Amino acid sequence: MRPDGQPFEHWSYRRIGDPGLNAASVTLLNRLLSEGRLSAPRAWLMRRGLPVSVRQALRFDFTAPTPLAGQPGRYHRLWLVEQADRQVFAYGVERPSASPLIGGRVLRDWPALDPQASWLPALAGHLADAVLDHPNAHRASPAGPSEHWMLTQVEAAVWRAALGEWLSALDAERLAVVRAEGRPTPEVFNDYGAGDETIRTRRLQAAQTFPAYAGLLRTEARLRRAVSAGEPLQRALANHFQVKPRTIARTRTLNRPLAAATRRTYLQRLDRWPAEYLPRTEADWTPCLALAERLDTLAACLDVEPLRLLKPFRHGWADGLRTLTQQVGARLDVDALFEMMQAAWHYGVRPALVDWATSNGLEETDVPLQPPPAFFPRWFGRSGLARLMTLARAWRTARLAFSLARSDADPETDEPLTWPAWTPGPHTSGDYRILELTSQADLEHEGLRLAHCVGTYAGECLLRFMGIYAVRDRHGQSCSTFEVQMTESGPLLVQHQAMANTEPPAAERDLVARFIARVLAAVPPERVRAVCAEREAIAAEASAWMARLADLEEQGTLQGELDPEQAAELAERVSGLHPPDVRRLGLAAVLQPLAPRWLGLKPSEPTRTPDPSVTVIDSDDRDWDLAA
C-alpha cells in the first residue's frame, strides 16, 4: 500500500464487456494514458496514517469542476469519511488544490452509500466528458460503441470498486437497514447510529421487523417515540394508519418501502379484505402491489364487490396468479381487460346504437364516443376474472388477425410486426395511464380509436427511433397520443394529438411534459443505443413488411377510418365478447330498451317501442365464469 492509500487505477477496470469491447477499451486507455489525460489514479482508499478521529477515508479526484449532490459543477475533489465514532460524511472540495487535508463543504441528502444509484453513472459520464474533449467522442463507429461510452463504463467501474471497498468496512447491519429504507444517505446512516446502545438497538430492530415502514418509524415523531420507548409497534402503526393490527402484521413480510403518497390508501384497501386475501409471503407482495389498485378500479367500473374479482387470490397471490396464467394461457394484464371492454363498445355496441339512433330520427353525433358507465356492468359485470382474461385474449387474437388482414399480410407466414419498448411500463399518474405502443396492431387500434393517422407510424418507430405513447383514462378509454424522438442527448416531444388531431386538454399536456422529463429523460444513453440497434435489426429483417406498409400509407389505407366492409368485419370479430343473452337474442333487440337511457333521452323524445317478445333477459349462465 502506498503511503497515502490504496489506488484504484483506470487500467485495472478496462474489462467492460465481451472481448471486442475489452480490446477497444484497452486501445482507448493506452491512448489516453500516453497523452497524459489519465496520468493519476481517480480514487484512493486510506485506512492508515489518518487523524485519530478518522477511521477510514475515500478520496476521488476530478479532472474538471464537477457537479455533486444536485449542486453546481464546482467541485474538484470528493471525500467520503468514516469517523472514529462510526458516523460518515461526504465532503466536496471546491478549491483545485493538492492539499492532503480532509474536509470541505458537507454534501447533504445525497445517496452516496449506494453504488447502484443513478448519480454514479451520471458522474462517470461527466468525468468522461472532461477527459474526452474532442467533438467525435460521442459518435459510435461502425465497429463499436463510442469512446465516451467506453470511458464512462471504465469510470463507473472504478467508482463502484472504490466505493464498494470503503462500504465493506462500515457497520453492515446499519448499512442494510439504510438501503432497505431506500434512502442510503450519510444522514440516515448516522441517524440509526445516534443515541445510546439501547436506542440504537431498538431503532435497528424496528426497521428490521417492519422494513416497509422503516423511514416512517424514524421520522414520524409519535412513532419514533414509540420505538425509543420500546412500545408494541404493531398497534402503534395500526393506530397511525387507522387499520386493524392484523393488516400491519401481514406487512411484516414486505421487505420494501411503500410509497408515502399512497401508503395510507393502500393499507386501508387491504384492511377491507378478509384475512385470507391478504399477502402471506414476500412473493405474494409483488403481484398484490402491482394489481390491487387496478383490480379495485375494475371492480368499481363493473359495479361489483372487489372480492368478486379477487377470488383467484384467496389463498395466496403468487399461487393464484400462476394458476390463472395456466388456466387461461395468458398473463393477467388489467389494461388488456379494459381494452377488450372498450373494443366491445367501439366496434360492436356503438355502431348498433348509431343504427338505432338514425332509425329513430336522431343524429350519429347523439351517440357518445365513450361508453356510458352502465355499459360495463351490463355487458361484463357477471364475469369473473378468468372469464374476462379469456375474453381479452380472444380480442387480442382477433385484433391481430384484423391488423394482418388490413396490412395485406399473410396470417399463415407473416409474423406480427413488433419492436422493443424504451422503458418498462405502463406508467400511472392520478387518473391517467401512459402505455407505449410497440406493434403495428397497437398503432392501428389507437388510430381507429382516436381517428388519426398513427397507424402509419411503424416506420417512424423502427427507422427514426420514435416512441409512440397512448394516454388512457382509468377505464382504458383512449384520450390522446404523443410521439417522442429518443436520442442519446435526451427525448424530444414531436407531437401530441387528441381525437381527430385536435389539441389535448391542458391536464394531459402537463402529464406528458412530466412523463418526458421524469421518465424518458432518465433512460440511459446505453439503453437508447441498444433499443435503436434492436429496432434497426427488426426493420432490416422485416423489409417486406416495411415495403408493404409504405405502399399502404401512400394509398391512405391505414388512416384512422374504417370502410363499411372493415367495420362489419370488426363488429363480427367482437361479437364473441357480448354476453350470452346478446349473442342469442341479437344485439339490436337487446339494445332497444337500453338505448334511450344510454343516450340520455327524455321520455318525450322519440323512441321505438321494443318488442315485448325480445326484451326478456336470459337467465342461462352456462357460458359465464361466475365462480372465477
Side-chain angles (χ1 to χ4, degrees), residues 469-506:
Y469 293 86
V471 179
R472 305 241 169 108
D473 68 12
R474 293 170 62 85
H475 296 163
Q477 173 66 34
S478 294
C479 301
S480 59
T481 314
F482 63 97
E483 178 183 15
V484 179
Q485 171 77 62
M486 295 295 292
T487 69
E488 291 188 31
S489 58
L492 175 66
L493 178 64
V494 177
Q495 59 178 324
H496 184 193
Q497 307 290 349
M499 173 65 69
N501 289 326
T502 56
E503 184 179 15

mmCIF file of all heavy atoms in Angstrom, residues 469-506:
data_model
loop_
_atom_site.group_PDB
_atom_site.id
_atom_site.type_symbol
_atom_site.label_atom_id
_atom_site.label_comp_id
_atom_site.label_asym_id
_atom_site.label_seq_id
_atom_site.Cartn_x
_atom_site.Cartn_y
_atom_site.Cartn_z
ATOM 1 N N TYR A 469 -46.794 6.861 -27.686
ATOM 2 C CA TYR A 469 -47.414 6.566 -26.392
ATOM 3 C C TYR A 469 -48.890 6.945 -26.414
ATOM 4 O O TYR A 469 -49.266 7.956 -27.015
ATOM 5 C CB TYR A 469 -46.716 7.331 -25.268
ATOM 6 C CG TYR A 469 -45.308 6.875 -25.015
ATOM 7 C CD1 TYR A 469 -44.250 7.413 -25.747
ATOM 8 C CD2 TYR A 469 -45.022 5.900 -24.073
ATOM 9 C CE1 TYR A 469 -42.946 6.987 -25.528
ATOM 10 C CE2 TYR A 469 -43.728 5.470 -23.849
ATOM 11 C CZ TYR A 469 -42.694 6.017 -24.578
ATOM 12 O OH TYR A 469 -41.411 5.587 -24.361
ATOM 13 N N ALA A 470 -49.705 6.127 -25.746
ATOM 14 C CA ALA A 470 -51.134 6.387 -25.610
ATOM 15 C C ALA A 470 -51.431 6.853 -24.195
ATOM 16 O O ALA A 470 -50.926 6.278 -23.221
ATOM 17 C CB ALA A 470 -51.939 5.126 -25.910
ATOM 18 N N VAL A 471 -52.232 7.901 -24.081
ATOM 19 C CA VAL A 471 -52.724 8.376 -22.784
ATOM 20 C C VAL A 471 -54.137 7.829 -22.618
ATOM 21 O O VAL A 471 -55.014 8.102 -23.447
ATOM 22 C CB VAL A 471 -52.729 9.908 -22.704
ATOM 23 C CG1 VAL A 471 -53.278 10.373 -21.359
ATOM 24 C CG2 VAL A 471 -51.326 10.461 -22.934
ATOM 25 N N ARG A 472 -54.350 7.060 -21.577
ATOM 26 C CA ARG A 472 -55.661 6.446 -21.335
ATOM 27 C C ARG A 472 -56.175 6.857 -19.960
ATOM 28 O O ARG A 472 -55.394 7.144 -19.050
ATOM 29 C CB ARG A 472 -55.553 4.914 -21.399
ATOM 30 C CG ARG A 472 -54.930 4.425 -22.719
ATOM 31 C CD ARG A 472 -55.864 3.554 -23.490
ATOM 32 N NE ARG A 472 -55.361 3.323 -24.844
ATOM 33 C CZ ARG A 472 -54.858 2.181 -25.276
ATOM 34 N NH1 ARG A 472 -54.795 1.151 -24.450
ATOM 35 N NH2 ARG A 472 -54.452 2.068 -26.530
ATOM 36 N N ASP A 473 -57.497 6.840 -19.819
ATOM 37 C CA ASP A 473 -58.069 7.123 -18.503
ATOM 38 C C ASP A 473 -58.138 5.834 -17.688
ATOM 39 O O ASP A 473 -57.675 4.784 -18.115
ATOM 40 C CB ASP A 473 -59.437 7.806 -18.632
ATOM 41 C CG ASP A 473 -60.513 6.892 -19.214
ATOM 42 O OD1 ASP A 473 -60.281 5.659 -19.314
ATOM 43 O OD2 ASP A 473 -61.589 7.394 -19.570
ATOM 44 N N ARG A 474 -58.708 5.920 -16.495
ATOM 45 C CA ARG A 474 -58.727 4.770 -15.586
ATOM 46 C C ARG A 474 -59.462 3.577 -16.163
ATOM 47 O O ARG A 474 -59.210 2.429 -15.778
ATOM 48 C CB ARG A 474 -59.380 5.172 -14.254
ATOM 49 C CG ARG A 474 -58.576 6.165 -13.449
ATOM 50 C CD ARG A 474 -59.379 6.714 -12.275
ATOM 51 N NE ARG A 474 -59.750 5.674 -11.333
ATOM 52 C CZ ARG A 474 -58.973 5.243 -10.355
ATOM 53 N NH1 ARG A 474 -57.777 5.759 -10.186
ATOM 54 N NH2 ARG A 474 -59.393 4.310 -9.520
ATOM 55 N N HIS A 475 -60.397 3.823 -17.091
ATOM 56 C CA HIS A 475 -61.198 2.749 -17.661
ATOM 57 C C HIS A 475 -60.736 2.356 -19.054
ATOM 58 O O HIS A 475 -61.479 1.706 -19.797
ATOM 59 C CB HIS A 475 -62.671 3.159 -17.692
ATOM 60 C CG HIS A 475 -63.250 3.359 -16.331
ATOM 61 N ND1 HIS A 475 -64.428 4.046 -16.107
ATOM 62 C CD2 HIS A 475 -62.825 2.965 -15.100
ATOM 63 C CE1 HIS A 475 -64.693 4.062 -14.817
ATOM 64 N NE2 HIS A 475 -63.729 3.415 -14.186
ATOM 65 N N GLY A 476 -59.501 2.725 -19.422
ATOM 66 C CA GLY A 476 -58.938 2.288 -20.691
ATOM 67 C C GLY A 476 -59.366 3.083 -21.893
ATOM 68 O O GLY A 476 -59.019 2.720 -23.020
ATOM 69 N N GLN A 477 -60.113 4.173 -21.705
ATOM 70 C CA GLN A 477 -60.539 4.998 -22.833
ATOM 71 C C GLN A 477 -59.342 5.776 -23.373
ATOM 72 O O GLN A 477 -58.622 6.424 -22.628
ATOM 73 C CB GLN A 477 -61.636 5.966 -22.399
ATOM 74 C CG GLN A 477 -62.041 6.992 -23.445
ATOM 75 C CD GLN A 477 -62.705 6.360 -24.647
ATOM 76 O OE1 GLN A 477 -63.407 5.356 -24.512
ATOM 77 N NE2 GLN A 477 -62.487 6.928 -25.807
ATOM 78 N N SER A 478 -59.128 5.729 -24.695
ATOM 79 C CA SER A 478 -58.037 6.484 -25.311
ATOM 80 C C SER A 478 -58.341 7.973 -25.241
ATOM 81 O O SER A 478 -59.414 8.415 -25.669
ATOM 82 C CB SER A 478 -57.849 6.060 -26.767
ATOM 83 O OG SER A 478 -57.397 4.725 -26.845
ATOM 84 N N CYS A 479 -57.411 8.740 -24.701
ATOM 85 C CA CYS A 479 -57.590 10.189 -24.561
ATOM 86 C C CYS A 479 -56.768 10.952 -25.593
ATOM 87 O O CYS A 479 -57.273 11.883 -26.226
ATOM 88 C CB CYS A 479 -57.185 10.630 -23.152
ATOM 89 S SG CYS A 479 -58.114 9.840 -21.825
ATOM 90 N N SER A 480 -55.508 10.584 -25.752
ATOM 91 C CA SER A 480 -54.637 11.265 -26.707
ATOM 92 C C SER A 480 -53.422 10.389 -26.974
ATOM 93 O O SER A 480 -53.190 9.385 -26.286
ATOM 94 C CB SER A 480 -54.210 12.643 -26.177
ATOM 95 O OG SER A 480 -53.534 12.525 -24.940
ATOM 96 N N THR A 481 -52.645 10.778 -27.980
ATOM 97 C CA THR A 481 -51.455 10.040 -28.387
ATOM 98 C C THR A 481 -50.320 11.033 -28.570
ATOM 99 O O THR A 481 -50.535 12.118 -29.108
ATOM 100 C CB THR A 481 -51.691 9.289 -29.712
ATOM 101 O OG1 THR A 481 -52.949 8.623 -29.668
ATOM 102 C CG2 THR A 481 -50.601 8.272 -29.974
ATOM 103 N N PHE A 482 -49.111 10.665 -28.128
ATOM 104 C CA PHE A 482 -47.979 11.563 -28.365
ATOM 105 C C PHE A 482 -46.770 10.791 -28.885
ATOM 106 O O PHE A 482 -46.619 9.591 -28.649
ATOM 107 C CB PHE A 482 -47.622 12.370 -27.107
ATOM 108 C CG PHE A 482 -47.163 11.577 -25.917
ATOM 109 C CD1 PHE A 482 -45.816 11.415 -25.649
ATOM 110 C CD2 PHE A 482 -48.082 11.028 -25.025
ATOM 111 C CE1 PHE A 482 -45.387 10.714 -24.537
ATOM 112 C CE2 PHE A 482 -47.667 10.326 -23.910
ATOM 113 C CZ PHE A 482 -46.307 10.167 -23.664
ATOM 114 N N GLU A 483 -45.926 11.520 -29.611
ATOM 115 C CA GLU A 483 -44.754 10.959 -30.267
ATOM 116 C C GLU A 483 -43.511 11.643 -29.724
ATOM 117 O O GLU A 483 -43.451 12.867 -29.610
ATOM 118 C CB GLU A 483 -44.861 11.177 -31.776
ATOM 119 C CG GLU A 483 -43.662 10.665 -32.557
ATOM 120 C CD GLU A 483 -43.778 10.970 -34.050
ATOM 121 O OE1 GLU A 483 -44.635 11.806 -34.409
ATOM 122 O OE2 GLU A 483 -43.014 10.390 -34.835
ATOM 123 N N VAL A 484 -42.498 10.836 -29.374
ATOM 124 C CA VAL A 484 -41.264 11.346 -28.798
ATOM 125 C C VAL A 484 -40.084 10.830 -29.602
ATOM 126 O O VAL A 484 -40.003 9.638 -29.910
ATOM 127 C CB VAL A 484 -41.114 10.912 -27.321
ATOM 128 C CG1 VAL A 484 -39.805 11.428 -26.733
ATOM 129 C CG2 VAL A 484 -42.290 11.411 -26.493
ATOM 130 N N GLN A 485 -39.177 11.721 -29.954
ATOM 131 C CA GLN A 485 -37.921 11.335 -30.598
ATOM 132 C C GLN A 485 -36.901 11.017 -29.502
ATOM 133 O O GLN A 485 -36.611 11.855 -28.651
ATOM 134 C CB GLN A 485 -37.398 12.484 -31.462
ATOM 135 C CG GLN A 485 -35.987 12.275 -32.000
ATOM 136 C CD GLN A 485 -35.959 11.305 -33.173
ATOM 137 O OE1 GLN A 485 -36.555 11.567 -34.205
ATOM 138 N NE2 GLN A 485 -35.259 10.197 -33.015
ATOM 139 N N MET A 486 -36.382 9.781 -29.512
ATOM 140 C CA MET A 486 -35.412 9.364 -28.499
ATOM 141 C C MET A 486 -34.004 9.498 -29.066
ATOM 142 O O MET A 486 -33.698 8.948 -30.121
ATOM 143 C CB MET A 486 -35.674 7.922 -28.081
ATOM 144 C CG MET A 486 -36.999 7.720 -27.372
ATOM 145 S SD MET A 486 -37.098 8.575 -25.787
ATOM 146 C CE MET A 486 -35.919 7.649 -24.814
ATOM 147 N N THR A 487 -33.153 10.231 -28.366
ATOM 148 C CA THR A 487 -31.755 10.397 -28.745
ATOM 149 C C THR A 487 -30.881 10.199 -27.517
ATOM 150 O O THR A 487 -31.376 10.217 -26.379
ATOM 151 C CB THR A 487 -31.487 11.798 -29.329
ATOM 152 O OG1 THR A 487 -31.620 12.769 -28.283
ATOM 153 C CG2 THR A 487 -32.474 12.125 -30.450
ATOM 154 N N GLU A 488 -29.580 10.031 -27.726
ATOM 155 C CA GLU A 488 -28.669 9.864 -26.600
ATOM 156 C C GLU A 488 -28.597 11.129 -25.751
ATOM 157 O O GLU A 488 -28.263 11.074 -24.572
ATOM 158 C CB GLU A 488 -27.280 9.486 -27.099
ATOM 159 C CG GLU A 488 -27.207 8.089 -27.702
ATOM 160 C CD GLU A 488 -25.789 7.672 -28.015
ATOM 161 O OE1 GLU A 488 -24.878 8.122 -27.291
ATOM 162 O OE2 GLU A 488 -25.587 6.919 -28.976
ATOM 163 N N SER A 489 -28.888 12.281 -26.358
ATOM 164 C CA SER A 489 -28.844 13.534 -25.607
ATOM 165 C C SER A 489 -30.147 13.833 -24.882
ATOM 166 O O SER A 489 -30.225 14.799 -24.125
ATOM 167 C CB SER A 489 -28.491 14.695 -26.547
ATOM 168 O OG SER A 489 -29.440 14.789 -27.594
ATOM 169 N N GLY A 490 -31.171 13.017 -25.108
ATOM 170 C CA GLY A 490 -32.426 13.206 -24.396
ATOM 171 C C GLY A 490 -33.638 13.119 -25.303
ATOM 172 O O GLY A 490 -33.515 13.144 -26.535
ATOM 173 N N PRO A 491 -34.843 13.005 -24.722
ATOM 174 C CA PRO A 491 -36.076 12.877 -25.515
ATOM 175 C C PRO A 491 -36.582 14.236 -25.988
ATOM 176 O O PRO A 491 -36.376 15.255 -25.334
ATOM 177 C CB PRO A 491 -37.058 12.237 -24.536
ATOM 178 C CG PRO A 491 -36.598 12.723 -23.194
ATOM 179 C CD PRO A 491 -35.106 12.879 -23.280
ATOM 180 N N LEU A 492 -37.277 14.225 -27.122
ATOM 181 C CA LEU A 492 -37.848 15.449 -27.691
ATOM 182 C C LEU A 492 -39.285 15.166 -28.110
ATOM 183 O O LEU A 492 -39.535 14.258 -28.914
ATOM 184 C CB LEU A 492 -37.033 15.913 -28.896
ATOM 185 C CG LEU A 492 -37.587 17.120 -29.670
ATOM 186 C CD1 LEU A 492 -37.553 18.367 -28.801
ATOM 187 C CD2 LEU A 492 -36.805 17.344 -30.961
ATOM 188 N N LEU A 493 -40.238 15.919 -27.562
ATOM 189 C CA LEU A 493 -41.636 15.760 -27.940
ATOM 190 C C LEU A 493 -41.837 16.260 -29.368
ATOM 191 O O LEU A 493 -41.538 17.413 -29.689
ATOM 192 C CB LEU A 493 -42.534 16.527 -26.979
ATOM 193 C CG LEU A 493 -44.041 16.479 -27.279
ATOM 194 C CD1 LEU A 493 -44.577 15.054 -27.155
ATOM 195 C CD2 LEU A 493 -44.806 17.414 -26.340
ATOM 196 N N VAL A 494 -42.360 15.402 -30.234
ATOM 197 C CA VAL A 494 -42.580 15.759 -31.639
ATOM 198 C C VAL A 494 -44.004 16.261 -31.849
ATOM 199 O O VAL A 494 -44.228 17.299 -32.462
ATOM 200 C CB VAL A 494 -42.291 14.542 -32.555
ATOM 201 C CG1 VAL A 494 -42.580 14.881 -34.017
ATOM 202 C CG2 VAL A 494 -40.844 14.096 -32.387
ATOM 203 N N GLN A 495 -44.984 15.528 -31.332
ATOM 204 C CA GLN A 495 -46.376 15.957 -31.450
ATOM 205 C C GLN A 495 -47.220 15.253 -30.395
ATOM 206 O O GLN A 495 -46.834 14.207 -29.879
ATOM 207 C CB GLN A 495 -46.935 15.680 -32.853
ATOM 208 C CG GLN A 495 -46.885 14.215 -33.266
ATOM 209 C CD GLN A 495 -47.504 13.977 -34.638
ATOM 210 O OE1 GLN A 495 -48.486 14.616 -35.006
ATOM 211 N NE2 GLN A 495 -46.925 13.065 -35.397
ATOM 212 N N HIS A 496 -48.378 15.863 -30.102
ATOM 213 C CA HIS A 496 -49.317 15.322 -29.121
ATOM 214 C C HIS A 496 -50.714 15.653 -29.624
ATOM 215 O O HIS A 496 -51.082 16.822 -29.712
ATOM 216 C CB HIS A 496 -49.047 15.950 -27.747
ATOM 217 C CG HIS A 496 -49.909 15.395 -26.652
ATOM 218 N ND1 HIS A 496 -50.017 15.983 -25.407
ATOM 219 C CD2 HIS A 496 -50.717 14.297 -26.606
ATOM 220 C CE1 HIS A 496 -50.835 15.278 -24.651
ATOM 221 N NE2 HIS A 496 -51.274 14.255 -25.362
ATOM 222 N N GLN A 497 -51.487 14.606 -29.986
ATOM 223 C CA GLN A 497 -52.782 14.807 -30.623
ATOM 224 C C GLN A 497 -53.872 14.046 -29.872
ATOM 225 O O GLN A 497 -53.660 12.935 -29.399
ATOM 226 C CB GLN A 497 -52.751 14.317 -32.081
ATOM 227 C CG GLN A 497 -51.625 14.880 -32.930
ATOM 228 C CD GLN A 497 -51.800 16.350 -33.236
ATOM 229 O OE1 GLN A 497 -52.856 16.920 -32.985
ATOM 230 N NE2 GLN A 497 -50.767 16.989 -33.756
ATOM 231 N N ALA A 498 -55.047 14.668 -29.816
ATOM 232 C CA ALA A 498 -56.230 14.017 -29.244
ATOM 233 C C ALA A 498 -57.127 13.539 -30.392
ATOM 234 O O ALA A 498 -56.651 13.322 -31.508
ATOM 235 C CB ALA A 498 -56.961 14.977 -28.317
ATOM 236 N N MET A 499 -58.418 13.379 -30.129
ATOM 237 C CA MET A 499 -59.362 12.878 -31.128
ATOM 238 C C MET A 499 -59.302 13.712 -32.396
ATOM 239 O O MET A 499 -59.381 14.941 -32.361
ATOM 240 C CB MET A 499 -60.770 12.888 -30.535
ATOM 241 C CG MET A 499 -61.882 12.558 -31.516
ATOM 242 S SD MET A 499 -61.805 10.864 -32.151
ATOM 243 C CE MET A 499 -62.216 9.937 -30.675
ATOM 244 N N ALA A 500 -59.141 13.033 -33.551
ATOM 245 C CA ALA A 500 -59.142 13.674 -34.869
ATOM 246 C C ALA A 500 -58.120 14.811 -34.955
ATOM 247 O O ALA A 500 -58.366 15.856 -35.553
ATOM 248 C CB ALA A 500 -60.538 14.177 -35.223
ATOM 249 N N ASN A 501 -56.960 14.593 -34.330
ATOM 250 C CA ASN A 501 -55.849 15.555 -34.368
ATOM 251 C C ASN A 501 -56.183 16.897 -33.730
ATOM 252 O O ASN A 501 -55.610 17.923 -34.099
ATOM 253 C CB ASN A 501 -55.367 15.775 -35.817
ATOM 254 C CG ASN A 501 -54.643 14.559 -36.362
ATOM 255 O OD1 ASN A 501 -53.957 13.859 -35.626
ATOM 256 N ND2 ASN A 501 -54.810 14.304 -37.646
ATOM 257 N N THR A 502 -57.084 16.897 -32.760
ATOM 258 C CA THR A 502 -57.364 18.120 -32.008
ATOM 259 C C THR A 502 -56.346 18.261 -30.875
ATOM 260 O O THR A 502 -55.621 17.320 -30.547
ATOM 261 C CB THR A 502 -58.781 18.103 -31.432
ATOM 262 O OG1 THR A 502 -58.938 16.926 -30.620
ATOM 263 C CG2 THR A 502 -59.814 18.076 -32.554
ATOM 264 N N GLU A 503 -56.290 19.436 -30.268
ATOM 265 C CA GLU A 503 -55.338 19.679 -29.196
ATOM 266 C C GLU A 503 -55.818 19.034 -27.902
ATOM 267 O O GLU A 503 -56.972 19.194 -27.511
ATOM 268 C CB GLU A 503 -55.152 21.186 -28.968
ATOM 269 C CG GLU A 503 -54.089 21.509 -27.928
ATOM 270 C CD GLU A 503 -53.901 22.993 -27.735
ATOM 271 O OE1 GLU A 503 -54.768 23.770 -28.185
ATOM 272 O OE2 GLU A 503 -52.893 23.386 -27.125
ATOM 273 N N PRO A 504 -54.953 18.308 -27.219
ATOM 274 C CA PRO A 504 -55.355 17.680 -25.946
ATOM 275 C C PRO A 504 -55.600 18.745 -24.881
ATOM 276 O O PRO A 504 -55.081 19.864 -24.967
ATOM 277 C CB PRO A 504 -54.143 16.810 -25.586
ATOM 278 C CG PRO A 504 -53.327 16.722 -26.829
ATOM 279 C CD PRO A 504 -53.583 17.969 -27.602
ATOM 280 N N PRO A 505 -56.368 18.422 -23.849
ATOM 281 C CA PRO A 505 -56.587 19.379 -22.747
ATOM 282 C C PRO A 505 -55.289 19.646 -21.995
ATOM 283 O O PRO A 505 -54.333 18.868 -22.063
ATOM 284 C CB PRO A 505 -57.631 18.684 -21.866
ATOM 285 C CG PRO A 505 -57.567 17.246 -22.237
ATOM 286 C CD PRO A 505 -57.147 17.181 -23.670
ATOM 287 N N ALA A 506 -55.280 20.730 -21.246
ATOM 288 C CA ALA A 506 -54.071 21.156 -20.532
ATOM 289 C C ALA A 506 -53.578 20.094 -19.554
ATOM 290 O O ALA A 506 -52.365 19.902 -19.398
ATOM 291 C CB ALA A 506 -54.343 22.464 -19.798
#
